[in-house]
Amino acid sequence: RGRRLTLVQFDAAAQTARGLRDFAAQIERLRELAEVELASVHAAKLPPLTGLNGRRSLPYYLLLSTVGAAEPALLAAGIVKARVKIVYDPAVEPSPPQASSAPASSVPPPTAASASGEDAHFRVPVRLIESLLQAASEAVVARNELLLRSEELGDLSILGSARRLGQLVSRLQENLMRTRLQELNYVFQKIPRIIRDAAQVCGKRVAFEAEGGHVELDRTLLDSIAESLLHLIRNAVDHGIETPAERVRAGKNETGRLRISAALEGGHVALTIEDDGRGLDFERIRTRAVERGLVERERADLLSETELTELIFEPGFSTADRITETSGRGVGMDVVRERFRAAGGSIAVTSQRGRGSRITALLPQTLSITACLMVVCGKERYAIPRQHLVQLALLDPDRVQRLNDRRMYNLRGRMLPLISATALLYGDECAATERYLAVVRADRRNFALSLDDILNPEEAVIRPLSGRLSEVQLYAGGAIAGDGEPTLILDPAGVARLCGIEHQDFGAAFADEVQETAESSREYLLFTAGETLYAIDIAAAPRIFPINALDIQRSAQREVVRVRDDLVAVVRLDALFRSARTGGEIRHLLLFAWAGGTAGIAAEEALTVAAIGPVQTQAGVPGLAGRALWKDRLALVVEPLAAIRAALEEDFAWK
């Protein structure tokens, strides 16, 4: 871009700043004067806790992009005693080398990944990475088919080899997928300038906080939602944060607060944007919706705050009175939602008048391969993405009720809209075979989907649908199952839109999803093994399968049992956590997808699903999340996949 690239190294502890806050302010001041490409502690040069002169030392580095020399910007920001090295100067070199210019048949030389040169990266053409990822996807399909055929043969030695190969393929695929991941700092570092420009235009003061910039997301996904993310930031400054005078009248600090955070949750990235501004004006939204013909006046007066919030995602909706640089054009939130949906994610808004708003988005970390649950509807097989599943259960006809001409399901006192997947796909006359219930999440809504049968979980390779099929909103894409046959992936958000439950509010049945994730409202499956009570978050969607303890066999020094056509490794929590045993008989397995197959946690008695007391977290014990009380009885809270990994990965036969 014709800019100079400069590496700056200095001791952060030797600066004029009086503490971390002052030092952070210096770095932010520097961002206003130059583009900071990288900024971090210089880990390779970290000394012992105490330096040579008896003082603390914190080596730090910056990578700056400037039009001219970097020294004036450093001096203005108060950075002193710094070593400066020009990495690239456009006056000396015509242009920096580009990764895409390397021929496909050559292997470019390594380049230093850090100032120390201790770690090295290779520049690899993007098309080569894409080719490797495609090969990994095909290998996953072949692995699934091999595991299926091995289980059909029933030869434990062949099955053991197939499982070892399956684990290696999983590990290879996982590492290759990481080559496409990029830290969210790639977008986060652009936000301070966006906020500064928007605040200057609107005459506002905004303090920005960011957390979780180290979280990684697929570069393709990151590029697809980056502009939408920045649009949400501009919206928060323009519509959310008040002017200094308005904030003073409301008893607030003159400077508004805007915070963005990211966290990795079970293979998905959760993004949250919060502000402490005025919140949504629900009456204004109601009025504008009527003016634009989105809803009739009689209906508008009956809309709840939840339904009014959904209206801001309608095409062309805006509450701005005039067109400015940041708002009033009538495009925005509808496009944002569609882009997040196209990326396989969801977005929702919650707000409190006078206290601020919160935008919550959930995205898969990568799109190429996803964990799915294979189900049967109308004698055909379909896949449901794991990230949309909340709970699985047997369907009890006595719990089916009707409310406002809609079928509802009473799930432990909570009324959920009930949709028959078979009737939706094949007509009402085929719905009599529904036996199971899947509670799925679509955007901010949970609803129940009835199914004919539940098969096995699988890692599926996602294939986009082509032609007219891509316009059918019921499907998120296609997948290749373990037996090599194609399978359609159901899209819960599309089902909700098609069935008209996307914008409906069923009162207490739909509590705020953000609040629902609080620890106090989580529900756990409680079961016993030995003399110990255990709890597993039902969000992990365990399948409970009854077994006979006499059917458990030993293979490769591990206990296994056949569940339908699958050979399942048995994990005993009492052995893993060294808790007391009574010699009780195993009656159930809690089944989870693991290592390309299935593993089961042994349970003597499945007690109930209930909320438990606050979980006191405990670190250092793999698979143990903490402890909590249920009816004055101590329960160990288990992280199922971590527990299975800790129990089985010690033996290479199950890797």
Side-chain angles (χ1 to χ4, degrees):
R1 295 175 297 168
R3 298 172 68 90
R4 180 180 294 184
L5 201 61
T6 306
L7 176 66
V8 183
Q9 302 177 73
F10 57 91
D11 183 359
Q15 301 304 304
T16 57
R18 291 175 295 179
L20 286 176
R21 290 185 181 275
D22 284 351
F23 179 65
Q26 284 184 312
I27 300 299
E28 288 304 313
R29 173 61 177 160
L30 186 62
R31 291 184 187 274
E32 298 176 359
L33 304 169
E35 289 191 19
V36 179
E37 305 291 346
L38 293 173
S40 182
V41 173
H42 201 331
K45 293 191 175 182
L46 276 176
L49 189 60
T50 304
L52 295 175
N53 300 325
R55 63 173 178 82
R56 298 176 184 272
S57 178
L58 187 64
Y60 203 85
Y61 76 88
L62 299 163
L63 195 61
L64 303 181
S65 174
T66 56
V67 176
E71 285 83 349
L74 293 170
L75 185 62
I79 304 296
V80 298
K81 299 179 182 179
R83 295 173 55 200
V84 177
K85 177 183 178 182
I86 297 176
V87 179
Y88 167 73
D89 190 342
V92 178
E93 302 179 53
S95 62
Q98 299 294 326
S100 59
S101 64
S105 59
S106 65
V107 179
T111 58
S114 65
S116 66
E118 292 183 2
D119 298 323
H121 291 183
F122 284 96
R123 287 178 178 170
V124 179
V126 173
R127 60 180 175 271
L128 178 57
I129 293 178
E130 295 296 334
S131 176
L132 289 171
L133 287 169
Q134 182 65 27
S137 298
E138 298 296 337
V140 168
V141 174
R143 176 205 65 186
N144 293 344
E145 187 172 1
L146 176 62
L147 287 171
L148 183 64
R149 300 290 180 251
S150 301
E151 290 165 0
E152 290 175 352
L153 290 174
D155 189 319
L156 292 182
S157 61
I158 295 179
L159 183 58
S161 299
R163 285 188 178 274
R164 287 197 295 272
L165 179 62
Q167 178 66 5
L168 292 173
V169 169
S170 296
R171 195 170 299 169
L172 176 64
Q173 175 260 329
E174 181 181 348
N175 289 333
L176 281 173
M177 293 302 298
R178 294 193 65 82
T179 64
R180 287 209 325 197
L181 298 182
Q182 183 162 9
E183 289 189 352
L184 284 167
N185 277 325
Y186 169 73
V187 175
F188 282 10
Q189 65 183 0
K190 302 177 183 178
I191 294 178
R193 180 168 296 180
I194 296 293
I195 292 177
R196 185 172 64 250
D197 294 345
Q200 186 174 0
V201 170
C202 300
K204 299 175 180 180
R205 299 178 185 174
V206 184
F208 173 63
E209 301 174 18
E211 182 181 344
H214 64 281
V215 174
E216 294 177 317
L217 189 65
D218 191 301
R219 176 61 186 266
T220 304
L221 288 176
L222 191 57
D223 288 340
S224 69
I225 58 100
E227 186 57 39
S228 297
L229 202 59
L230 298 180
H231 179 82
L232 293 174
I233 295 295
R234 293 189 192 96
N235 256 12
V237 176
D238 188 20
H239 294 287
I241 304 295
E242 309 97 328
T243 63
E246 290 173 324
R247 292 182 65 85
V248 169
R249 286 196 297 269
K252 299 180 180 179
N253 190 294
E254 288 186 351
T255 302
R257 185 179 64 87
L258 182 58
R259 181 175 184 270
I260 184 170
S261 60
L264 190 61
E265 299 179 355
H268 291 78
V269 175
L271 287 169
T272 304
I273 301 173
E274 300 174 273
D275 68 72
D276 65 345
R278 58 172 63 93
L280 294 179
D281 188 338
F282 294 108
E283 291 307 315
R284 189 173 184 80
I285 294 174
R286 197 190 311 272
T287 301
R288 279 302 173 93
V290 174
E291 291 175 355
R292 292 181 177 268
L294 297 176
V295 65
E296 298 292 334
R297 167 56 68 181
E298 294 77 10
R299 170 64 179 156
D301 292 337
L302 300 176
L303 292 179
S304 66
E305 291 186 355
T306 301
E307 292 173 309
L308 289 170
T309 301
E310 292 294 324
L311 290 176
I312 69 175
F313 292 103
E314 290 295 323
F317 185 85
S318 176
T319 57
D321 293 320
R322 57 190 176 88
I323 296 177
T324 67
E325 294 183 30
T326 56
S327 66
R329 295 175 176 83
V331 293
M333 294 301 287
D334 60 319
V335 177
V336 168
R337 170 170 277 187
E338 287 306 314
R339 286 182 178 174
F340 272 88
R341 282 176 172 170
S346 62
I347 184 170
V349 177
T350 57
S351 181
Q352 285 185 292
R353 186 71 186 272
R355 299 186 62 181
S357 301
R358 173 186 293 175
I359 301 172
T360 306
L362 192 66
L363 285 163
Q365 194 175 28
T366 182
L367 273 181
S368 298
I369 298 177
T370 187
C372 292
L373 179 68
M374 297 297 177
V375 301
V376 174
C377 304
K379 297 183 180 179
E380 294 291 336
R381 180 174 52 187
Y382 294 87
I384 300 177
R386 173 64 184 82
Q387 69 263 26
H388 294 296
L389 282 173
V390 177
Q391 184 180 351
L392 298 173
L394 286 170
L395 189 146
D396 184 355
D398 294 335
R399 294 178 177 269
V400 179
Q401 303 176 23
R402 298 200 70 86
L403 176 64
N404 297 333
D405 295 326
R406 179 176 296 282
R407 285 210 311 167
M408 307 291 291
Y409 193 84
N410 187 340
L411 186 65
R412 294 186 301 279
R414 184 182 181 198
M415 300 298 292
L416 296 173
L418 176 61
I419 297 173
S420 169
T422 303
L424 182 64
L425 295 166
Y426 300 100
D428 291 332
E429 66 277 3
C430 300
T433 58
E434 56 186 16
R435 294 188 298 162
Y436 296 94
L437 197 73
V439 180
V440 295
R441 178 180 292 112
D443 293 326
R444 298 181 64 246
R445 303 299 196 206
N446 282 2
F447 65 93
L449 197 64
S450 62
L451 309 165
D452 293 353
D453 199 3
I454 295 175
L455 303 178
N456 56 303
E458 281 193 19
E459 285 183 333
V461 179
I462 297 179
R463 307 291 193 193
L465 298 177
S466 59
R468 299 301 297 272
L469 268 179
S470 62
E471 301 175 10
V472 181
Q473 58 182 330
L474 280 176
Y475 308 118
I480 307 298
D483 56 4
E485 294 296 321
T487 302
L488 288 170
I489 301 175
L490 294 176
D491 180 14
V495 172
R497 290 195 297 272
L498 189 64
C499 296
I501 65 172
E502 184 182 26
H503 301 311
Q504 294 191 25
D505 187 7
F506 294 91
F510 287 114
D512 189 337
E513 292 294 339
V514 176
Q515 297 299 324
E516 194 173 58
T517 59
E519 190 67 45
S520 60
S521 63
R522 286 186 179 177
E523 290 187 317
Y524 291 79
L525 172 65
L526 294 154
F527 63 96
T528 58
E531 298 179 354
T532 307
L533 178 66
Y534 296 97
I536 289 180
D537 192 337
I538 61 170
R543 286 188 297 154
I544 304 176
F545 194 87
I547 64 168
N548 189 331
L550 298 177
D551 293 335
I552 298 177
Q553 308 172 37
R554 295 195 67 84
S555 174
Q557 299 181 345
R558 290 293 176 189
E559 289 185 312
V560 296
V561 65
R562 184 172 295 278
V563 175
R564 292 177 177 165
D565 295 327
D566 194 10
L567 197 62
V568 175
V570 178
V571 173
R572 294 180 183 263
L573 295 180
D574 50 7
L576 180 62
F577 299 140
R578 296 179 174 83
S579 53
R581 302 183 63 173
T582 60
E585 184 177 293
I586 296 176
R587 296 187 179 91
H588 303 89
L589 280 184
L590 311 182
L591 301 179
F592 298 89
W594 182 80
T598 309
I601 293 178
E604 293 179 11
E605 185 177 1
L607 300 178
T608 185
V609 173
I612 60 177
V615 177
Q616 298 179 357
T617 57
Q618 176 171 334
V621 181
L624 183 60
R627 293 175 167 81
L629 289 177
W630 176 69
K631 293 184 177 180
D632 297 327
R633 186 176 177 185
L634 182 66
L636 299 184
V637 182
V638 178
E639 293 179 349
L641 295 183
I644 291 171
R645 185 179 301 112
L648 299 183
E649 284 198 346
E650 296 176 358
D651 189 342
F652 188 76
W654 289 99
K655 286 187 177 182

